[in-house]
Amino acid sequence: MKNRTSFLPQEGEAHLSRCPDNSAFKQQRLPAWKPQLNIVTVLSSFFLTGAFCLTVGVCLILSANSVREIQIDYSDKCSACSKLREDSSNWNKECHCSVNFTLKEDILGDVFMYYGLQNFYQNHRRYVISRSDAQLLGRNVNIQRSYCAPFIAYRNGTPMAPCGAIANSMFNDTINLFYNRNSSVIKVPLLKTGNSWWTDKNVKFRNPVSYNLSSAFAGTARPPYWQKPVYLLDKEDERNNGFVNDDFIIWMRVSAFATFRNLYRRVRRIRTFADGLPAGNYTFHISYNFPVTKFKGRKHVILSTVVWSGGSNPFLGIAYVVSGTAATLTGFVITAIHLKLRKKKTYFQKQ
């Protein structure tokens, strides 16, 4: 048997040890608290959690129900334009349609305009990755190495800006709102900027550096389904062009579901519309460009207010109510089991 003293470090040898340092953290001597669960603490936790979730859920549902919203489907009302757009050779032909509706009551406060699409699947894996984030940051990159195919370049080699299937399928209907008051028609002022997230506008999307946008995108071409190049998306506001265009940024944030809505405009609260949208007759004037018939889709335009909890989606409130109900019912079940076992234990003790 080998002498144990041979394991000790000899003179001149470094003392190497696998033992952790003699500290409270590494030797697990930190103070700790181990809860001692009993029937009172367990039932209190379940009932308090249930009461909290039920209270928050009811508040969220009531808040969502207080949102004023009107939704109009214009797929059938613009059927003539829809048939025209199904033929790709008519891409350069304009088509307009109008949709009338009536507001029976005033919509007070900030009013938001959304466009909604139904049966449009943005969650397909190849669709989601079909973009070049480096290009959208304004960098001079080789998009041939990106996932933009087949929307990378034309046959003559001219690269697309922006590239990818997401950008190519961008929603491009133009929607204007008019208020019919007595015998006059008033165009409702709409804000087209300030609708995207700050992080998107200032971090994730940037234009190439140049003295003007047209030269910045020189040598590139628009995607096949676009009617104008990226640097002319907004002819009225030069700052809302290129990759930092609000409509483009919002579209590039893909949806997880086949039916979704995206923020399109906000009503500017001035003059007649200082308090919101007054009751009366209105008309949507739509420049129809986005075809939906081939994938059996529908298109909507939505006017809505918002509250502290967001829009008119009650899902979060329902989730809280379901969680609170489940926690409360679990508390009652545990109470019943405890009482039954205690009664049985008392019976056996008497025996």
Side-chain angles (χ1 to χ4, degrees):
M1 183 174 180
K2 192 173 182 180
N3 191 352
R4 293 182 60 187
T5 58
S6 61
F7 291 98
L8 297 176
Q10 301 299 321
E11 185 178 354
E13 295 183 2
H15 180 71
L16 301 176
S17 175
R18 293 180 176 270
C19 295
D21 295 336
N22 188 22
S23 63
F25 176 76
K26 293 187 177 182
Q27 295 296 337
Q28 299 184 10
R29 295 196 301 267
L30 292 174
W33 176 70
K34 182 179 180 181
Q36 299 295 328
L37 298 179
N38 54 47
I39 190 63
V40 176
T41 56
V42 171
L43 290 180
S44 299
S45 300
F46 276 101
F47 285 121
L48 288 176
T49 301
F52 172 78
C53 290
L54 286 173
T55 303
V56 174
V58 171
C59 292
L60 289 173
I61 291 176
L62 293 176
S63 176
N65 290 337
S66 66
V67 174
R68 293 290 310 281
E69 180 176 298
I70 179 171
Q71 179 171 309
I72 297 174
D73 187 327
Y74 65 95
S75 304
D76 296 331
K77 296 179 180 180
C78 298
S79 57
C81 291
S82 178
K83 293 179 180 178
L84 179 71
R85 285 286 169 256
E86 291 306 320
D87 187 353
S88 58
S89 62
N90 297 325
W91 67 271
N92 58 345
K93 297 181 180 179
E94 295 186 359
C95 190
H96 303 272
C97 58
S98 300
V99 180
N100 300 318
F101 67 98
T102 302
L103 286 182
K104 297 182 180 180
E105 298 179 357
D106 297 345
I107 300 182
L108 302 178
D110 294 328
V111 183
F112 299 82
M113 180 189 294
Y114 301 84
Y115 62 84
L117 290 177
Q118 183 177 341
N119 207 38
F120 188 91
Y121 290 86
Q122 287 189 312
N123 56 3
H124 191 281
R125 185 185 66 86
R126 292 187 62 185
Y127 181 88
V128 171
I129 65 175
S130 184
R131 58 189 291 166
S132 173
D133 291 322
Q135 184 194 48
L136 297 177
L137 281 171
R139 299 173 182 171
N140 186 14
V141 295
N142 182 11
I143 59 174
Q144 297 290 342
R145 299 180 180 180
S146 67
Y147 294 100
C148 288
F151 302 103
I152 291 180
Y154 287 91
R155 293 182 178 179
N156 60 2
T158 305
M160 300 180 189
C163 70
I166 305 177
N168 183 59
S169 61
M170 176 181 168
F171 182 86
N172 57 351
D173 282 1
T174 302
I175 306 172
N176 291 308
L177 179 61
F178 292 87
Y179 175 45
N180 306 313
R181 186 175 64 177
N182 299 327
S183 58
S184 61
V185 178
I186 304 174
K187 185 177 181 179
V188 180
L190 300 175
L191 296 172
K192 63 177 71 174
T193 58
N195 300 325
S196 59
W197 295 351
W198 184 92
T199 51
D200 286 347
K201 189 85 171 181
N202 296 275
V203 179
K204 296 177 64 176
F205 294 83
R206 293 177 184 175
N207 284 324
V209 178
S210 182
Y211 63 92
N212 60 48
L213 277 182
S214 60
S215 62
F217 290 98
T220 65
R222 59 175 177 80
Y225 291 173
W226 285 28
Q227 296 177 324
K228 48 190 173 182
V230 67
Y231 55 87
L232 293 178
L233 289 178
D234 189 350
K235 296 181 179 180
E236 299 176 359
D237 188 353
E238 294 182 357
R239 297 171 299 176
N240 191 36
N241 271 313
F243 295 150
V244 296
N245 176 265
D246 274 48
D247 293 338
F248 173 71
I249 291 174
I250 292 173
W251 177 259
M252 293 299 291
R253 191 188 314 133
V254 297
S255 172
F257 302 99
T259 299
F260 62 93
R261 64 176 63 178
N262 284 335
L263 181 59
Y264 182 67
R265 297 290 184 266
R266 291 176 294 129
V267 174
R268 187 180 181 187
R269 297 176 62 178
I270 58 173
R271 296 189 291 274
T272 307
F273 312 98
D275 298 325
L277 291 179
N281 297 320
Y282 289 84
T283 303
F284 281 121
H285 286 186
I286 302 168
S287 177
Y288 198 105
N289 298 306
F290 194 86
V292 296
T293 307
K294 287 187 177 180
F295 57 88
K296 298 180 181 179
R298 310 287 297 180
K299 291 196 291 187
H300 308 82
V301 57
I302 304 110
L303 295 174
S304 175
T305 60
V306 295
V307 291
W308 62 270
S309 60
S312 62
N313 190 352
F315 173 78
L316 187 59
I318 294 174
Y320 267 102
V321 169
V322 171
S323 301
T325 303
T328 305
L329 290 177
T330 303
F332 281 118
V333 170
I334 294 176
T335 303
I337 294 174
H338 171 70
L339 293 176
K340 184 177 180 180
L341 293 177
R342 188 175 66 175
K343 184 177 180 181
K344 184 180 294 186
K345 182 179 180 181
T346 305
Y347 172 78
F348 282 111
Q349 286 177 349
K350 290 182 179 180
Q351 294 296 324

